[in-house]
Amino acid sequence: MRFSRRFIHSCLTSAAWWSGVAVSLVLYLLVTQIVEDKGRAQFEYKANNAQVAIQTRVQSYIDVLRGAAALFYTQDAISREQFHAYATQLHLQEGFPGIRNLNFALHVPAPQKDSFERAVRSDTSVDPQGYPRFETKPNGSRPHYHVLTYLEPMQGNARLLGFDLTSAPDTAEALAFARDNDQLISSGRTVNINGPDQHAGLAMRIPLYRRGMPIGTVEQRRAAFYGSVGASYDVNQLLRGAVDANTLRSIQLRLYDAGGASHPAPVLAAGITDPARLLYESDAAGGKRVRDGDMRDVFVKRVRMTVGPRLWEAEFSADKAAMVGGFERYLPWGVLATGVLGSVLLYSIYYSLISARRHAVELAGEMTKDLRDSEASLAEAQHMAQLGSWLLEPDSGKMTWSAETYRLFGLDSFVRRPAYDDFLNRIHPEDRGMVRDGLRKSITTGKELNIEHRIVRPDRSVRWVHAIARPGHQDRSILRGTLMDISERKQTVEALKRSQELLRDLTAHQDRVKEDERKRIAREIHDELGQTLLALRIDVSMLEARTAKSHPKLNERVRDALNQLDATVKTIRTIINNLRPSVLDLGLTAAIEWQVNEFRRRSGIACELVLSDTEYALDDERATTLFRILQESLTNVIRHANANRVLIELYRDGSRLVMKITDNGVGIYPERRKCGNSFGLIGVEERVHALHGEFRIDSAPGQGTVLTVFIPMETGGKRMDSRAA
């Protein structure tokens, strides 16, 4: 394309041209910011995912240590063989490669040291040869020892067997703190482990107390303390694979120890940079280390996370270029070039228009052709959308219909121009008055008419349409309107309603079947297993009485068996009550009182029950539904409400029975009500709807929650005075 000197001079002296250049520059800056914001959002998304992955991985490793501690509370003494079997089943090398070892350290007073060492040397439960060279390390006399007694895996860790943890003053102080406060402790900063397999190590320990002994005070915990369970972690192995490899190709990760959760290191704008606190550093993102000097080209995010008793600070960094694709990287310049070029082209068009008036007739012809094409496109669009349009002249009653309007009415065309009466006559008789009044109101007030109504075609078929009408913008004396065929949508809505009703009936049926099955299982357990255990207890009780004097050791074992039988019977009773509380057979009021007492005993939350002086004879389905709703509501109070007072009311309101549950907890946030996993509230609502009742929740953050259930009384149900009963 060649430009004349006159065109170039006119372009450079035109305000429109320079306005276009200014707009292009603004667009360049705007797109640059948009691209950077997109890259930042991508960086934030990957960093957040990496943070969650790290926390999940570390927590799973801490849970292994807590599981080992729980093992020692299953019985009074855990043998080396049991500890070995437990560690073997964990498959540490495959499932938790970051755990260097899992260990148990026994607290040994100085007078018991020699007997303790002899017992370990002769322990052949795992190794047939025992541990003949076992001794407490390092040498020296101390008032008490905390000796690593069990180690898994033993391979690679045998040198640690017998090590006294209290030989190091810092470790002894940390163990004393854990013992006195019943807390998980961590080694804090990393321990650089030397040797052929160098790694950054981290150790954590949990104190152990003898079963059955009180640990409410420091003195009681010291008396009950007998050892600890610990684990040593390789931080590199622990975090390997936790974060997605694709993420680490573009983002560099550094983890620092930020101190204890109770005494964290101060938060600095530049983050923690002390190399002594560095726990983990990923390979350089993109094959090179992210530049530390020029932070203008780097995204950086620092977050702190709680890891057991410690705080970790994670620093995520990435080159901005790595977060932006190649196309987007050059997009701002492309926008600038396109804007400048577009300004040139637009000005060329403008210049051509003002300098080529002779093309006006041709241009008018082209515009006429485009208008006809637009009309054809509009007709095609109306046909595809099943949307007809019309114009009404209220004074004369004359109308203009589009081709799609004729099709909606099932007509080809009129011989004459359609009139207002022709339009009304094709509306269903039951809807005709509504449409007529609506159109009249729209004409007189100028407001929009928006309704759904039926039309009748010449073949007597009925269709549903959505009608919109309003006065014209330019000429208020003309009424413009549209008709859209919504018959299929109406059918879909009706089918959906029927499906919801069927689904609700199915849910109610499932609840009834579930309750019946609970009754049957509870009855079977009570009649079969309960009687069997009762007979067994009688036999064991007789054996206990006969062996009291003649066989003391056997008598002690028999008493243990008798206690186990009593515990089993108590457990079975609890299971039966959970399946189907027998108190329901005494009436809804008695069942609610029992449940409230159980809630008070189990949660310690003050609960007030307000009942009328009457007992309502409800069928089993309604009584069970109200009881289950109460159970679910009180469970939610314990789990989520953080309340210290609950009020339960049960009364009659006309033909409906009302149960209202009020708490003074934290309330329910609006977004939590719509959460996809809030199945408890959904289940309560479905139970109520299945009985044609009403369910309400009134709650606000920090203002407690009021749950109200309205259940219709059974037709012909009787009301009995509980005092007369």
Side-chain angles (χ1 to χ4, degrees):
M1 179 182 295
R2 298 180 61 184
F3 300 101
S4 63
R5 290 184 177 180
R6 181 178 297 179
F7 171 79
I8 296 175
H9 180 268
S10 175
C11 179
L12 295 177
T13 57
S14 170
W17 154 257
W18 290 112
S19 298
V21 172
V23 170
S24 300
L25 289 173
V26 171
L27 288 176
Y28 164 77
L29 296 176
L30 179 62
V31 173
T32 300
Q33 185 62 41
I34 291 174
V35 170
E36 182 172 345
D37 290 345
K38 181 179 179 182
R40 182 177 296 279
Q42 183 75 5
F43 169 75
E44 291 283 343
Y45 173 79
K46 291 186 176 182
N48 290 338
N49 285 347
Q51 177 188 352
V52 172
I54 292 171
Q55 289 179 304
T56 302
R57 173 62 65 86
V58 174
Q59 187 58 47
S60 68
Y61 274 67
I62 294 178
D63 287 343
V64 171
L65 179 58
R66 295 189 185 277
L71 173 66
F72 281 84
Y73 285 97
T74 58
Q75 58 188 33
D76 292 335
I78 297 297
S79 66
R80 185 184 305 275
E81 182 180 8
Q82 290 173 312
F83 187 81
H84 173 74
Y86 172 81
T88 302
Q89 290 302 315
L90 287 176
H91 299 289
L92 296 177
Q93 186 174 0
E94 296 80 16
F96 305 92
I99 296 181
R100 304 297 296 182
N101 67 72
L102 196 63
N103 60 73
F104 162 67
L106 182 65
H107 176 254
V108 181
Q112 302 175 12
K113 175 186 175 185
D114 294 337
S115 60
F116 161 73
E117 291 179 344
R118 287 194 299 271
V120 174
R121 291 167 186 159
S122 61
D123 187 353
T124 59
S125 59
V126 175
D127 189 346
Q129 298 179 358
Y131 307 92
R133 298 181 181 179
F134 175 85
E135 61 181 3
T136 302
K137 300 175 290 190
N139 295 327
S141 298
R142 290 177 285 277
H144 56 82
Y145 305 83
H146 203 76
V147 186
L148 291 177
T149 308
Y150 300 165
L151 274 169
E152 293 295 336
M154 185 65 75
Q155 184 177 2
N157 297 295
R159 60 186 177 80
L160 299 176
L161 185 64
F163 182 75
D164 178 18
L165 298 177
T166 58
S167 61
D170 292 342
T171 305
E173 182 180 352
L175 283 172
F177 175 84
R179 175 200 63 198
D180 293 345
N181 295 276
D182 189 18
Q183 288 187 7
L184 170 72
I185 60 168
S186 171
S187 60
R189 298 188 179 185
T190 57
V191 180
N192 293 318
I193 308 301
N194 297 320
D197 185 16
Q198 292 187 352
H199 65 278
L202 188 68
M204 294 186 183
R205 304 202 69 78
I206 297 177
L208 299 176
Y209 304 97
R210 292 181 178 87
R211 295 199 316 161
M213 294 185 65
I215 56 173
T217 65
V218 173
E219 290 74 16
Q220 291 174 344
R221 285 191 284 272
R222 289 178 178 177
F225 177 75
Y226 74 95
S228 64
V229 174
S232 175
Y233 304 97
D234 181 344
V235 179
N236 288 335
Q237 287 289 343
L238 187 149
L239 295 178
R240 183 170 298 171
V243 183
D244 182 68
N246 292 329
T247 299
L248 293 180
R249 276 196 285 268
S250 56
I251 292 181
Q252 188 172 4
L253 166 64
R254 295 187 182 96
L255 279 178
Y256 294 91
D257 176 66
S262 58
H263 301 286
V267 179
L268 303 176
I272 297 175
T273 58
D274 184 4
R277 291 183 176 268
L278 182 65
L279 296 171
Y280 175 79
E281 181 176 16
S282 66
D283 294 334
K288 61 178 181 180
R289 185 174 298 280
V290 176
R291 296 183 299 274
D292 294 326
D294 188 6
M295 300 304 294
R296 293 174 300 176
D297 298 328
V298 178
F299 291 128
V300 178
K301 180 177 181 180
R302 298 180 181 90
V303 294
R304 288 195 172 186
M305 62 188 79
T306 302
V307 179
R310 307 296 297 178
L311 284 177
W312 285 5
E313 182 176 285
E315 179 189 89
F316 302 93
S317 57
D319 279 334
K320 293 182 178 180
M323 293 290 103
V324 179
F327 171 77
E328 294 172 338
R329 193 179 307 167
Y330 301 104
L331 181 60
W333 293 103
V335 169
L336 179 61
T338 302
V340 174
L341 180 60
S343 298
V344 173
L345 294 177
L346 289 175
Y347 190 80
S348 300
I349 295 174
Y350 171 74
Y351 184 82
S352 299
L353 289 175
I354 64 175
S355 63
R357 297 179 181 272
R358 62 181 178 273
H359 298 300
V361 176
E362 297 178 4
L363 181 61
E366 293 178 359
M367 292 176 63
T368 302
K369 179 178 179 298
D370 292 339
L371 179 60
R372 290 173 180 172
D373 292 340
S374 297
E375 291 178 349
S377 298
L378 177 61
E380 181 65 21
Q382 286 188 347
H383 178 68
M384 295 175 65
Q386 296 183 330
L387 177 67
S389 60
W390 50 264
L391 297 176
L392 169 63
E393 300 173 8
D395 296 335
S396 63
K398 295 181 180 179
M399 298 188 72
T400 301
W401 294 357
S402 68
E404 187 62 20
T405 302
Y406 281 105
R407 194 195 66 79
L408 288 176
F409 284 133
L411 301 172
D412 293 333
S413 63
F414 274 117
V415 176
R416 55 180 174 78
R417 184 177 180 182
Y420 184 45
D421 291 338
D422 297 323
F423 180 81
L424 292 178
N425 289 337
R426 278 154 182 80
I427 297 175
H428 195 281
E430 296 179 3
D431 300 338
R432 192 173 298 156
M434 175 184 65
V435 175
R436 184 190 296 111
D437 295 341
L439 291 174
R440 185 182 298 115
K441 183 177 180 180
S442 180
I443 293 171
T444 56
T445 64
K447 294 183 178 179
E448 180 183 272
L449 171 68
N450 192 330
I451 59 174
E452 295 179 357
H453 63 83
R454 291 164 290 180
I455 61 174
V456 181
R457 291 184 169 185
D459 60 0
R460 311 307 299 171
S461 62
V462 177
R463 306 287 291 179
W464 277 91
V465 296
H466 181 198
I468 300 176
R470 65 167 68 95
H473 294 290
Q474 302 295 332
D475 188 355
R476 307 291 294 182
S477 63
I478 296 178
L479 196 67
R480 299 176 179 271
T482 59
L483 294 174
M484 176 179 283
D485 191 341
I486 60 171
S487 301
E488 293 183 0
R489 189 184 76 186
K490 278 286 185 180
Q491 294 171 1
T492 302
V493 170
E494 291 299 325
L496 181 59
K497 288 181 179 179
R498 291 194 299 271
S499 176
Q500 289 177 338
E501 292 174 357
L502 291 175
L503 184 58
R504 188 159 290 150
D505 291 341
L506 177 59
T507 301
H509 174 71
Q510 288 178 335
D511 286 339
R512 288 193 296 270
V513 171
K514 188 193 309 181
E515 289 298 332
D516 291 342
E517 185 64 13
R518 283 179 171 178
K519 291 179 186 178
R520 186 191 67 79
I521 294 174
R523 186 170 56 251
E524 291 291 335
I525 293 175
H526 179 272
D527 294 344
E528 299 295 335
L529 185 56
Q531 296 301 322
T532 301
L533 288 175
L534 179 59
L536 182 58
R537 191 190 186 285
I538 292 172
D539 292 341
V540 175
S541 178
M542 293 175 61
L543 181 59
E544 190 268 341
R546 293 179 180 179
T547 59
K549 297 181 178 180
S550 58
H551 299 83
K553 292 185 178 180
L554 177 59
N555 180 261
E556 182 180 354
R557 293 295 185 92
V558 172
R559 281 200 304 272
D560 291 341
L562 193 60
N563 292 334
Q564 290 292 338
L565 282 173
D566 290 339
T568 304
V569 170
K570 184 177 180 181
T571 301
I572 289 176
R573 288 175 180 170
T574 301
I575 293 172
I576 292 174
N577 274 332
N578 290 336
L579 288 172
R580 168 70 179 184
S582 58
V583 73
L584 267 176
D585 298 331
L586 302 178
L588 178 61
T589 301
I592 290 178
E593 290 176 345
W594 174 82
Q595 182 61 42
V596 168
N597 290 332
E598 284 293 304
F599 172 75
R600 292 170 181 155
R601 180 186 61 79
R602 187 177 56 195
S603 66
I605 299 174
C607 184
E608 181 182 356
L609 177 61
V610 178
L611 298 172
S612 62
D613 295 334
T614 58
E615 174 73 30
Y616 298 94
L618 296 176
D619 57 64
D620 186 66
E621 181 179 4
R622 284 173 169 76
T624 302
T625 297
L626 283 172
F627 180 76
R628 293 303 184 192
I629 290 174
L630 177 62
Q631 278 188 321
E632 181 66 29
S633 302
L634 293 180
T635 300
N636 286 338
V637 169
I638 295 174
R639 291 180 178 176
H640 311 295
N642 195 21
N644 56 25
R645 184 172 56 85
V646 179
L647 173 63
I648 301 171
E649 301 173 79
L650 184 68
Y651 58 91
R652 182 170 182 171
D653 182 15
S655 62
R656 300 187 298 180
L657 189 63
V658 182
M659 183 170 68
K660 182 184 291 186
I661 303 170
T662 307
D663 68 69
N664 64 344
V666 297
I668 303 177
Y669 288 82
E671 60 270 17
R672 291 292 299 170
R673 300 188 196 180
K674 302 177 182 179
C675 184
N677 58 2
S678 298
F679 295 113
L681 293 177
I682 295 174
V684 170
E685 187 171 5
E686 287 301 320
R687 285 176 180 266
V688 174
H689 287 167
L691 296 178
H692 306 288
E694 184 181 355
F695 173 73
R696 297 178 189 169
I697 294 182
D698 298 317
S699 181
Q703 299 181 13
T705 302
V706 180
L707 184 148
T708 310
V709 176
F710 300 84
I711 298 293
M713 298 289 291
E714 186 177 11
T715 304
K718 299 184 300 180
R719 187 175 73 174
M720 302 181 299
D721 193 324
S722 61
R723 293 171 296 183

